Amino acid sequence: MAASLRAVREAVLDGRMHNIVTRRTQLEAVQQTLLEKADAIQDAILADTSYVASEAAVEYLLTLNTLKEYHKSLNIDRALQEEYAIARGEDAANRRDPVGIVYIVPTRYTVFYSVLVAVAGAITAGNCIVIELSNSLQALPALIKKLLESSLDPRTIAFVSTPATDEDLGAQHMRLHQDNHLPGKVVAVVDRTANINQAAEALVAARFSFGGRSPYAPDLVLVNEYIKEAFLMALVQASVSFLPSAGAIQSDEGQQGKEDQGERGGLRIVSSLGRGKIVDADKLDPKALPGKPTDGRLLVHTVRSLDHAIDLSNMVGNLRGAYVFAHEKSAKYLAQFINADVSFVNHIPVEVLVGPTPPKQVAFDRSMRYPTTIFSVPRPQYISPTLLSQSVADILRIKSASALRSTLVLQSSELVSPTQRPLGGGVGFFEQGILTGLGLFSIPILAGVSALGYWTWTVVQRHGSRI
């Protein structure tokens, strides 16, 4: 076992990171280092990627913001209240303890942000850290190691170039493989009620930003047939005006070969201007959707209705995310029935495009990709008995069979109460269709009845005047 790993294991046994003040000062030290090395960090991001300067700046600023959010979550007064709850005769039902060691295997996408947010989350939960960084000629791994070693207590962090075994890490550890959560697709739906230009700009940015490698870049865009041509024109315009990057530069031969391959696969290239290609994918089977495109393709497929969009989306299966562009009521219907882990309506947050996907069992959080609960374990403490426990204890002391039956009848009568059903909700999508149909059907009838009544009234009036 390496000496650095031995020191980390000893720090876990000592509970070195359990103190909330220590955790806050560690996060403050990391943030101060990042502020001092802002230029070097952005230069390293640009050196290792095909990003433009603004994308490197976004990754850097999102990292700083996440550190701030984790730091704000460490409330000293609240922590003391929870620590001494039992001493005050109160339950500590939400008490949690750190896992011990968080072993991080970084993703290769936006590696700076991804490593730093995982480190910040683990520190906030009170853990020590081991990071697996293989030897590389790239600038970022060496810079990350240098920044963290100079900021954090050296006894609480270690780096390894080869995978560490469970024996090396000890019993108190968890592994965070950031690339393990990548499988899954992202679908966008653009309804006829959407703002076409807004949707086109957002989807082009999501597909082509950060080298087109974001796990939340849209894999397929489903657009209503009535607005498809206008939407394709808006996509082309947005793509042309999008800032170019080095990653978008391809040789003519390679680009032509990919276009020919697309034509043979039933995909029609609409435009290859700007940073990527706009592709008509009407002949593509959503169930056979290809993996994450690496050549900057934005696939567009036609749908006839909201239900058609829902059916095709769910045919893709295992949806990591969905982007819905539509009027609020139509968007509610789409988001409700598209089976995606997270849905965004009429916008695509830039922070979603940066960093790894969260574990499957964790709800997506735009501010903190990793909630501290995944780096800790529940350790509740109770001092106050509940009413149920008192009732059950009283029942155990009853010796008479008749008294026991009477008590059971009394207790059972208090368990279930009938549910009061509401009279009805608001007017939804289907209700609107029914009311519209009834209106169209009843208008001719009401007009006929009114005409008949008027005719009868005029006949009576004429007959009365003759008399």
Side-chain angles (χ1 to χ4, degrees):
M1 183 196 309
S4 58
L5 292 183
R6 183 178 297 108
V8 169
R9 289 183 59 172
E10 290 174 355
V12 171
L13 294 176
D14 293 343
R16 190 178 303 276
M17 293 296 292
H18 284 223
N19 186 286
I20 188 171
V21 176
T22 301
R23 286 179 262 165
R24 285 174 61 95
T25 55
Q26 294 284 278
L27 290 176
E28 291 164 6
V30 173
Q31 187 172 29
Q32 184 60 37
T33 301
L34 298 191
L35 290 171
E36 294 171 356
K37 302 295 183 181
D39 292 338
I41 292 168
Q42 293 175 73
D43 290 343
I45 294 173
L46 291 173
D48 286 356
T49 65
S50 59
Y51 301 167
V52 295
S54 59
E55 292 170 341
V58 165
E59 182 175 351
Y60 169 74
L61 289 175
L62 287 177
T63 305
L64 284 179
N65 184 74
T66 302
L67 284 172
K68 182 185 72 173
E69 292 297 324
Y70 279 121
H71 186 271
K72 284 169 56 179
S73 70
L74 291 173
N75 186 297
I76 295 177
D77 293 335
R78 184 172 64 242
L80 289 174
Q81 290 290 320
E82 293 173 353
E83 180 179 354
Y84 289 94
I86 294 295
R88 297 192 307 272
E90 300 173 1
D91 293 335
N94 298 321
R95 180 177 176 273
R96 301 185 72 90
D97 274 351
V99 171
I101 295 176
V102 176
Y103 183 84
I104 302 171
V105 182
T107 179
R108 288 167 291 185
Y109 171 69
T110 54
V111 62
F112 181 79
Y113 173 87
S114 300
V115 171
L116 266 293
V117 298
V119 168
I123 290 174
T124 303
N127 296 282
C128 297
I129 301 153
V130 176
I131 304 176
E132 182 183 312
L133 283 178
S134 58
N135 296 323
S136 171
L137 297 177
Q138 291 187 313
L140 278 173
L143 180 61
I144 290 171
K145 182 178 180 181
K146 180 180 178 181
L147 294 176
L148 292 179
E149 284 181 336
S150 64
S151 305
L152 299 175
D153 184 340
R155 294 164 293 183
T156 63
I157 186 168
F159 293 85
V160 294
S161 57
T162 57
T165 65
D166 290 343
E167 290 74 19
D168 291 334
L169 300 174
Q172 296 176 293
H173 77 274
M174 65 166 287
R175 295 176 182 267
L176 180 66
H177 291 261
Q178 293 185 319
D179 276 341
N180 277 6
H181 315 302
L182 287 182
K185 302 294 183 183
V186 178
V187 169
V189 179
V190 182
D191 184 52
R192 61 192 299 180
T193 60
N195 183 318
I196 294 177
N197 292 327
Q198 177 189 357
E201 291 172 2
L203 290 169
V204 164
R207 174 67 269 172
F208 300 143
S209 293
F210 303 100
R213 295 178 54 218
S214 172
Y216 285 98
D219 297 288
L220 182 65
V221 180
L222 304 175
V223 59
N224 188 280
E225 59 186 352
Y226 291 101
I227 62 168
K228 182 177 180 181
E229 293 305 319
F231 179 68
L232 288 175
M233 291 178 62
L235 284 178
V236 173
Q237 181 61 39
S239 177
V240 170
S241 61
F242 202 67
L243 289 174
S245 69
I249 300 174
Q250 301 174 356
S251 66
D252 293 339
E253 292 183 4
Q255 184 169 348
Q256 183 62 44
K258 289 178 180 178
E259 290 184 6
D260 293 341
Q261 183 180 1
E263 294 287 353
R264 288 195 300 270
L267 304 178
R268 180 175 65 88
I269 308 297
V270 176
S271 171
S272 57
L273 301 174
R275 193 183 284 200
K277 293 190 286 291
I278 311 298
V279 180
D280 187 341
D282 277 351
K283 295 182 180 179
L284 177 68
D285 183 359
K287 292 184 291 186
L289 194 65
K292 273 293 181 194
T294 58
D295 57 346
R297 296 183 300 168
L298 183 60
L299 303 179
V300 181
H301 195 290
T302 307
V303 292
R304 299 181 300 273
S305 64
L306 298 180
D307 289 317
H308 189 200
I310 292 170
D311 291 340
L312 290 184
S313 297
N314 292 334
M315 283 173 61
V316 173
N318 191 24
L319 289 183
R320 181 186 301 117
Y323 303 127
V324 175
F325 293 88
H327 184 272
E328 286 82 355
K329 292 183 179 179
S330 298
K332 178 265 180 190
Y333 181 66
L334 288 166
Q336 179 177 354
F337 292 102
I338 292 177
N339 299 322
D341 293 343
V342 62
S343 299
F344 296 94
V345 175
N346 291 330
H347 76 296
I348 302 178
V350 176
E351 58 267 32
V352 170
L353 305 175
V354 179
T357 58
K360 189 73 174 179
Q361 71 276 14
V362 176
F364 190 95
D365 188 317
R366 286 174 286 182
S367 298
M368 294 187 289
R369 194 59 52 93
Y370 295 115
T372 55
T373 52
I374 70 172
F375 300 120
S376 59
V377 291
R379 293 281 191 268
Q381 297 174 339
Y382 300 102
I383 192 172
S384 304
T386 64
L387 293 176
L388 177 61
S389 63
Q390 293 175 354
S391 298
V392 173
D394 292 340
I395 291 174
L396 286 176
R397 289 192 290 267
I398 296 176
K399 304 301 182 182
S400 168
S402 59
L404 179 60
R405 284 195 297 270
S406 300
T407 302
L408 289 176
V409 170
L410 177 62
Q411 294 289 338
S412 301
S413 64
E414 299 175 354
L415 293 179
V416 179
S417 58
T419 300
Q420 300 294 326
R421 293 184 178 273
L423 296 177
V427 178
F429 180 79
F430 291 108
E431 289 82 356
Q432 285 184 351
I434 293 172
L435 292 176
T436 301
L438 287 174
L440 294 174
F441 177 75
S442 60
I443 287 173
I445 296 176
L446 290 174
V449 171
S450 299
L452 179 61
Y454 179 75
W455 179 80
T456 304
W457 180 79
T458 55
V459 170
V460 171
Q461 288 294 102
R462 291 196 199 102
H463 183 70
S465 63
R466 290 174 184 172
I467 294 174

